[in-house]
Amino acid sequence: MRTQVAIIGSGPAGLLLGQLLTNTGVDNVILERATREHVLSRIRAGVLEEGTTAMLQEAGAGSRMRAEGLPHDGFDLAFDGRRHRVDLHGLTGKRVMVYGQTEVTRDLMEKRARSGGRSIYEAVNVRPHGFDTDRPHVTYQKGGREHRIDCDFIAGCDGYHGVARRSVPQGAIEIFERAFPFGWLGIIADVPPVGPELVYANHPRGFALCSMRSHTRSRYYVQVPIEEKIEDWPDERFWDELRRRLPKATAEAVTTGPSVEKSIAPIRSFVAEPLRFGRLFLAGDAGHIVPPTGAKGLNLAASDVRYLFDALHEFYTEKSQAGLDAYSRRALARVWKAERFSWWMTNTLHRFPDHGGFGQKIQHAELDYLFSSRAALTALAENYVGLPY
Ligand SMILES: Cc1cc2nc3c(=O)[nH]c(=O)nc-3n(C[C@H](O)[C@H](O)[C@H](O)COP(=O)(O)OP(=O)(O)OC[C@H]3O[C@@H](n4cnc5c(N)ncnc54)[C@H](O)[C@@H]3O)c2cc1C
């Protein structure tokens, strides 16, 4: 088989890139290790920047998001038993959209099916080859047979555990990494959210977050030690712990119910440099991971795709390599700013085992400062709504 761009991974990055290419007549094939149903069963991000929603619209996969997504003009930070609002729209003129990653993925998959795009699910042992030459190809197994796709470029959109980054010779890539000593225990429950906007809480017992997916589906998290076991957290224990970490009135307003999903996610910062190796390009979680505190993971996948799509489009329409040559530098410049913001949010809102009283006083001073300085609050808001591409 032959295509112009072989895309590894059918997550948000791969699907969005594939759709933008298809819309402009660039042939592409998506190779995905899992089944379509498995990809759709993963519950992850939910806060979309305006740049991300604009790209979904551009891809032709934004109409359900516009109809069912929840535009948010702000969020609350809770500390010292009180809630303090960050007026995102008042400070930046922008808002964010709450719309689950599962729905984004479903909309992109459906659009791809309508456009006749080729996706190969349950592709085993996908391997990129020859990306240091002008004639790369990808191999995989399916139905007990070995297959080969010849292509112009390979896009590694296969997430943190994917094969694309691992195929690069060790000396050609540098890794920057920080693992945090805690995780997020998260649940989804079919109960109305505690309020119309997100609440991020800094509490002596640890961080908590009240989020949502819709008016009837809530997403809640509490910080837990990384070695915690999910079976030690029956729903009742989760709800009790969550309420302890929220201001009294907020805790009393929480509607509880049986969880429909419960998991513990490790919290990690990770960046691979560069993001281009000859004709192989990494995009999204394949190249970088952020702690979810700033809600940036999915949005960074989208901004990588913005730069990569523009570069490929320029290559195919103008025969220019300039965008491809600039891809890694442009994407990483934005990635590192989001890494900094997510790291800052994580440090400001969580309890750290080695911070002690000094660390807590610094956190308190930071939060106090934020709400006494419009400049400081604006800096938070402009990062949260998403820096320009
Ligand atoms: C538990 C969890 C919770 C999260 N919560 C948030 C959040 O609240 N907010 C936020 O902004 N971000 C969150 N994230 C991050 C966000 O989900 C990711 O940034 C986003 O999914 C990145 O999209 P992607 O397409 O780059 O990668 P992925 O979504 O990981 O997609 C990669 C795809 O590649 C496939 N693949 C992997 N290996 C291979 C292979 N060898 N061959 C073929 N296919 C392969 C995978 O099956 C997958 O479908 C969370 C992530 C996790 C894991």
Side-chain angles (χ1 to χ4, degrees), residues 94-256:
K94 294 183 179 170
R95 40 178 63 99
V96 291
M97 176 76 85
V98 172
Y99 189 65
Q101 179 168 335
T102 314
E103 308 312 318
V104 169
T105 309
R106 185 185 303 283
D107 294 347
L108 284 166
M109 281 179 176
E110 286 176 3
K111 174 68 185 173
R112 187 167 180 82
R114 285 198 301 277
S115 324
R118 284 180 290 175
S119 296
I120 298 163
Y121 287 91
E122 297 177 83
V124 179
N125 213 3
V126 177
R127 293 275 178 273
H129 305 275
F131 48 82
D132 53 345
T133 73
D134 285 349
R135 295 182 178 185
H137 68 278
V138 181
T139 56
Y140 66 98
Q141 287 143 21
K142 182 152 171 117
R145 283 181 45 223
E146 178 89 8
H147 301 265
R148 171 179 170 135
I149 303 181
D150 291 290
C151 54
D152 300 334
F153 299 101
I154 303 171
C157 302
D158 49 351
Y160 178 70
H161 298 288
V163 66
R165 192 183 67 249
R166 286 166 215 277
S167 304
V168 173
Q170 261 190 1
I173 194 165
E174 194 173 358
I175 302 296
F176 300 87
E177 192 167 18
R178 169 161 301 186
F180 290 88
F182 43 74
W184 278 19
L185 167 60
I187 70 163
I188 287 204
D190 283 325
V191 293
V194 67
E197 294 180 344
L198 274 66
V199 182
Y200 290 79
N202 172 312
H203 189 272
R205 293 181 68 87
F207 168 78
L209 171 60
C210 308
S211 183
M212 67 209 62
R213 290 292 177 267
S214 68
H215 292 303
T216 55
R217 177 163 270 209
S218 299
R219 182 81 161 131
Y220 289 105
Y221 299 94
V222 293
Q223 172 191 350
V224 294
I226 192 63
E227 58 278 1
E228 208 74 3
K229 297 273 175 291
I230 198 79
E231 47 285 10
D232 295 333
W233 284 89
D235 289 355
E236 268 322 301
R237 183 178 175 204
F238 179 89
W239 292 118
D240 286 349
E241 188 58 40
L242 174 74
R243 284 182 293 211
R244 280 194 191 126
R245 297 182 188 190
L246 299 174
K248 191 163 177 287
T250 309
E252 285 170 2
V254 170
T255 306
T256 64

Side-chain angles (χ1 to χ4, degrees), residues 9 11-13 32-33 42 44-45 101 157-159 162 284-285 295-298:
E32 166 60 50
R33 161 174 79 181
R42 289 192 299 233
R44 292 181 169 182
Q101 179 168 335
C157 302
D158 49 351
D285 277 19
K296 291 286 162 245
L298 175 56

Side-chain angles (χ1 to χ4, degrees), residues 268-284:
R268 181 188 295 125
S269 302
F270 173 96
V271 182
E273 288 197 9
L275 296 174
R276 178 199 181 169
F277 309 88
R279 290 193 167 228
L280 170 68
F281 296 83
L282 303 181

